[in-house]
Amino acid sequence: MQALVLEQSEGKTVAVVKTLSPEALPAGEVTVDIDWSGLNYKDALAITGKGKIIRQFPMVPGIDFAGKVHHSEDPRFHTGQAVILTGWGVGENHWGGLAEQARVKGDWLVAMPEGLDGRRAMIIGTAGLTAMLCVMALEEGGITPEEGEIIVTGASGGVGSTAVALLSALGYQVVAVSGRESTHDYLRQLGARAILSREAFSADARPLEKQRWAGAIDTVGDKVLANVLAQMNYAGVVAACGLAGGFTLPTTVMPFILRNVRLQGVDSVNAPTARRVEAWKRLVKTLPADFYQQATREITLQEAPAGAMRLLNNEITGRTLVKIR
């Protein structure tokens, strides 16, 4: 089997495609023949060594994949069954999806939903699953399309772009925040009704500003999230799922105690299986057919290291698929 293997040499991370024996795979109940994986921000940090993602080497990165069961000791899965994996530390502390095979725990897998195939599942990927969980958080907070505009930060990334498409398909008025003017046409095609510059949210936030947003999905963190919180409507809900701009939150308690704003954290790595299954069904039902044709590029396993560097340099819009087979 071919696999992208990360190793350490003189304190630096080295990524090389190698031929490995399937016997080298870590323990698990289900072995999967991988057809598609994705290149996520966390994968890019791991492959380039620019983030402290990997703590034990060698490691096969790839935090999500889609494929078919090769062998199963778990009665819930059978040979030839199409499955999806996202999260659970795979690609971080357990060999992941940037390989022709993976061996994982059965609890980590989700059966492919009806109406979806492996390629489209990875166009959605971890980013899309996270976006759907954020949308569900807004809905559960009582935010309906009639409440007002929803702002999405980091909108040109994988989570943000899928969130824009989902919210638009569900009838929400979406305002996208993007740091790149080159993405504006793409975001309008996904359903954004207006686009704001990231610079408008990058200054130090005041405790409260004019109320503008019924809900928000934030993938950036730091000052961007602080500014969004200061602009939320009374009883607004913010679903926060990322820290592309930093992990600090320079804000005050004012939005929470004077405007009843809710800040809801969203995690897809350890989300319960039942929640994942619900989210995948919603994704299949909600995403329009043309979403799968928008800003999706395919690369090979050998091209993944270069693709990781491009992703970190903010040179990629939308989703990058890795075609394994």
Side-chain angles (χ1 to χ4, degrees), residues 30-46:
V30 186
T31 302
V32 180
D33 292 326
I34 299 173
D35 298 315
W36 298 92
S37 187
L39 196 59
N40 300 277
Y41 187 75
K42 188 179 286 186
D43 297 321
L45 289 173

Side-chain angles (χ1 to χ4, degrees), residues 1-3 21-22 24-37 60-62 64-72 83 85 90-91 94-105 108-109 324-325:
M1 55 170 274
Q2 294 282 298
S21 167
L25 291 169
E29 298 90 32
V30 186
T31 302
V32 180
D33 292 326
I34 299 173
D35 298 315
W36 298 92
S37 187
V60 176
D64 52 21
F65 64 75
K68 297 178 181 64
V69 174
H70 179 86
H71 173 75
S72 177
V83 292
L85 184 142
V90 171
H94 186 100
W95 286 14
L98 291 176
E100 291 182 329
Q101 280 191 339
R103 186 178 293 132
V104 298
K105 293 183 178 181
W108 298 347
L109 294 170
I324 306 295
R325 296 178 181 270

Side-chain angles (χ1 to χ4, degrees), residues 199-206 209 213 222-232 249-251:
E199 283 68 36
F201 295 82
S202 298
D204 291 339
R206 293 187 293 179
E209 296 185 14
W213 319 114
D222 203 52
K223 291 181 180 179
V224 172
L225 176 53
N227 276 282
V228 168
L229 286 167
Q231 297 174 13
M232 295 303 297
L249 183 54
T251 189

Side-chain angles (χ1 to χ4, degrees), residues 22 144 203 219:
T144 65
T219 71

